[in-house]
RNA sequence: GGCUCCGUCGCCAAGUGGUAAGGCAGAGGUCUGCAAAAUCUCCAUCCCCGGUUCGAAUCCGGGCGGAGCCUCCA
């Protein structure tokens, strides 16, 4: 089955056919670097990280471009507040962005261009638009003339008359049409600026993406992504600029991810429910954050709440516990054990395990349906646990089946950026999180476990159970097994 | 007002014409000294009302409820 993607431009799912067979050019709008990234940025970047990974998994040669917009009104304003240069500010937050994305386990794009490193291309593009009559200069500013681009608003499917009714021209702007937008802004005092045919100035928002994408991917490429909120005006304007200049279709498939809500409310600074990635990673494992993002479809809104994150933590724990048990069973099993056939009772889980990859692909081929893909992976976990529950001593054939199951799970998990940690280590780390809140130290727990072990050996179950209940009251769950007793936070 | 979109089990969430994935929570069984984990079994007819169809959660119309965009925004 072939990959199908939902294209915002057509409003429906389409079969994905790259311009050049086997190769994909993909551009995703990065961030304007003037502050720390919030969890909405995390979602967008995780979503397109998955797109990138899945295309690579599907054997495409992908060129992934994600830009930094490092010249902008907000950067200038923030830099002035702090009394530093725009460049210092943007460099600081580019570093922060890189750290955040690395923490979230994102694969590095092929190219991460900066707007300020493409001023020459931007100026050339603006000149071209003026030359073609699509743009005009006015007092050092250059504006795009939306009236010259008949298919303007084709992406956002809005109505020009009504948009115009609501639009206003800010004082000092010399627009012919209120919907016209700036390609180049004349420099005000104390602003970063570059020399141009229209005097010193700087690029407007939107033009940098047109310039960088065409520089790195050509005038037509396959996928352009970003958050829904970028559809208008940002992406609409990119289309107008790029197609206006080249006369060729800009992008074949437009992909947009849904929003992040906080406790069912829109995330916004005014509501005070704004979380940076750094804030969240203080409380939650990055892999939990990623897992949470992938349990819903990328186009749907997701609700960021403690309860939902907690559920994701439990879900991810289920995977790691199964993987940890699998490691133990596989290491313990005897390679020389006599070959045995798979018992009839395990035919179904064995079959389910065998189908994992095919099901995963079918789900992901359907517009990157990670929620369904994870559902299939949970099925595989149950199949693994079932086999382990029934056959603690793996014979040759089952060993091979489970070994392949483990490999499949890890390989497909990697396509989603999951299960990359050593299972035992992840579980230990997870167990220790929150330990301080419980007011306990590991050594104390270990001592109590030892005391309980002795009590149990003496069949003093009253004492044994008391220890367990006391710890349970503090949120510590003891887990007895043949290998001894471990613990975790409930 | 215009344009998008959503309303599926207690909660989260897939499914968009062929008879409701999965996770969490819950009930019961197995395992266990007892538990936990694991496993097995059970647990929804899809906001409401019409219509199209052999057949609809899925399509159409009308309600009701919710969200987003239209200004910077992932």
């Amino acid at each position: 089955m072939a990959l199908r993607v939902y294209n915002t431009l057509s409003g429906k799912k389409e079969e994905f056919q790259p311009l050049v067979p086997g190769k994909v050019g993909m551009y995703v709008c990065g961030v304007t670097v003037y502050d720390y990234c919030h969890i909405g940025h995390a979602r967008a970047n995780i979503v397109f990280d998955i797109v990138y990974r899945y295309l690579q998994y599907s054997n495409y040669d992908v060129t992934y471009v994600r830009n930094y917009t490092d010249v902008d009104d907000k950067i200038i304003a923030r830099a002035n507040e702090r009394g530093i240069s725009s460049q210092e500010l943007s460099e600081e937050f580019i570093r922060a962005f890189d750290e955040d994305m690395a923490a979230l386990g994102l694969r590095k794009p092929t190219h991460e261009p900066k707007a300020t490193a493409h001023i020459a291309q931007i100026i050339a593009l603006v000149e071209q638009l003026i030359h073609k009559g699509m743009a005009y200069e006015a007092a050092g500013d250059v504006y795009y003339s939306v009236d010259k681009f008949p298919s303007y608003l084709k992406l956002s499917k809005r109505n020009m008359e009504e948009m115009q009714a609501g639009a206003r021209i800010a004082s000092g702007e010399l627009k012919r049409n209120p919907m016209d937008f700036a390609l180049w802004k004349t420099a005000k005092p104390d602003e970063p600026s570059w020399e141009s045919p229209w005097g010193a100035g700087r690029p407007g928002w939107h033009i940098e993406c047109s310039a960088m994408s065409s520089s790195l991917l050509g005038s037509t490429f396959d996928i352009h992504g970003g958050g829904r909120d970028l559809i208008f005006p940002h992406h609409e304007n990119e289309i107008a600029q790029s197609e206006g200049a080249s006369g060729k279709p800009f992008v074949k498939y437009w992909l947009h991810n849904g929003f992040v809500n906080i406790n069912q409310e829109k995330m916004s600074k005014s509501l005070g429910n704004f979380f940076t990635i750094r804030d969240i990673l203080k409380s939650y494992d990055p892999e939990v954050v990623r897992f949470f993002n992938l349990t819903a479809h990328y186009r749907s809104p997701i609700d960021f709440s403690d309860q939902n994150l907690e559920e994701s933590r439990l879900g991810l724990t289920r995977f790691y516990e199964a993987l940890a048990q699998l490691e133990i069973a596989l290491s313990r099993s005897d390679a020389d054990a006599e070959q045995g056939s798979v018992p009839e009772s395990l035919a179904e889980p064995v079959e389910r395990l065998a189908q994992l990859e095919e099901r995963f692909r079918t789900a992901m081929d359907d517009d990157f349906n990670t929620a369904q893909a994870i559902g299939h992976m949970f099925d595989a976990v149950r199949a693994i646990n079932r086999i382990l529950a029934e056959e603690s001593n793996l014979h040759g054939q089952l060993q091979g089946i489970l070994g392949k199951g483990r490999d499949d799970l890890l390989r497909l998990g990697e396509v989603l950026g999951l299960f990359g940690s050593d299972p035992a280590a992840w579980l230990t780390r997870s167990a220790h999180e929150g330990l301080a809140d419980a007011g306990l130290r590991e050594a104390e727990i270990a001592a109590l476990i030892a005391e309980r072990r002795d009590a149990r050996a003496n069949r003093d179950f009253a004492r044994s159970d008391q220890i367990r209940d006391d710890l349970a009251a503090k949120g510590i769950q003891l887990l007895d097994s043949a290998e001894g007793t471990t613990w975790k936070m409930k």
Side-chain angles (χ1 to χ4, degrees), chain A residues 109-282:
Chain A
T110 319
H111 302 288
E112 297 179 272
K114 294 177 198 168
T116 53
H118 291 78
I119 299 295
Q121 290 91 329
I122 289 170
I123 290 172
L125 187 55
V126 175
E127 283 189 298
Q128 194 179 357
L129 286 165
I130 291 175
H131 179 71
K132 293 185 83 166
M134 313 289 298
Y136 55 94
E137 190 239 332
D141 293 339
V142 180
Y143 297 104
Y144 188 94
S145 183
V146 296
D147 295 326
K148 299 286 170 56
F149 189 67
S151 57
Y152 192 61
L153 304 181
K154 67 180 172 183
L155 183 69
S156 55
K157 299 167 179 64
R158 292 166 200 274
N159 177 294
M160 178 68 95
E161 284 70 38
E162 285 167 4
M163 296 288 292
Q164 279 176 330
R168 289 219 305 247
I169 299 179
S171 64
E173 290 182 333
L174 297 167
K175 292 180 182 175
R176 295 175 186 167
N177 179 324
M179 293 298 292
D180 289 350
F181 55 91
L183 300 174
W184 189 262
K185 296 180 176 186
T186 191
K188 296 181 195 131
D190 300 324
E191 285 187 355
S193 65
W194 290 263
E195 276 310 314
S196 80
W198 320 284
R202 60 190 167 91
W205 184 40
H206 318 303
I207 191 70
E208 84 282 14
C209 284
S210 286
M212 288 186 274
S213 62
S214 65
S215 295
L216 292 162
L217 297 169
S219 51
T220 300
F221 55 94
D222 300 295
I223 293 175
H224 193 132
R228 294 186 70 91
D229 50 344
L230 294 181
I231 295 172
F232 184 88
H234 186 56
H235 289 163
E236 198 70 70
N237 291 355
E238 278 187 54
I239 292 174
Q241 292 161 350
S242 294
E243 297 192 353
S246 73
K248 290 187 269 192
F250 178 39
V251 167
K252 203 164 174 192
Y253 306 99
W254 284 93
L255 273 49
H256 292 98
N257 65 276
F259 284 109
V260 175
N261 295 326
I262 304 285
N263 297 320
Q264 323 225 23
E265 283 184 308
K266 181 187 169 168
M267 181 174 70
S268 79
K269 284 178 176 167
S270 56
L271 287 168
N273 59 357
F274 214 80
F275 292 110
T276 65
I277 292 172
R278 285 160 191 240
D279 288 336
I280 290 299
L281 292 185
K282 284 177 195 158

Side-chain angles (χ1 to χ4, degrees), chain A residues 314-336:
Chain A
L314 289 172
L316 188 58
T317 301
R318 182 167 161 81
F319 279 102
Y320 271 122
E321 285 186 340
L323 286 168
Q325 289 306 115
L326 198 46
E327 290 300 333
I328 291 169
L330 287 170
S331 66
R332 193 172 52 197
S333 59
D334 182 357
D336 296 329

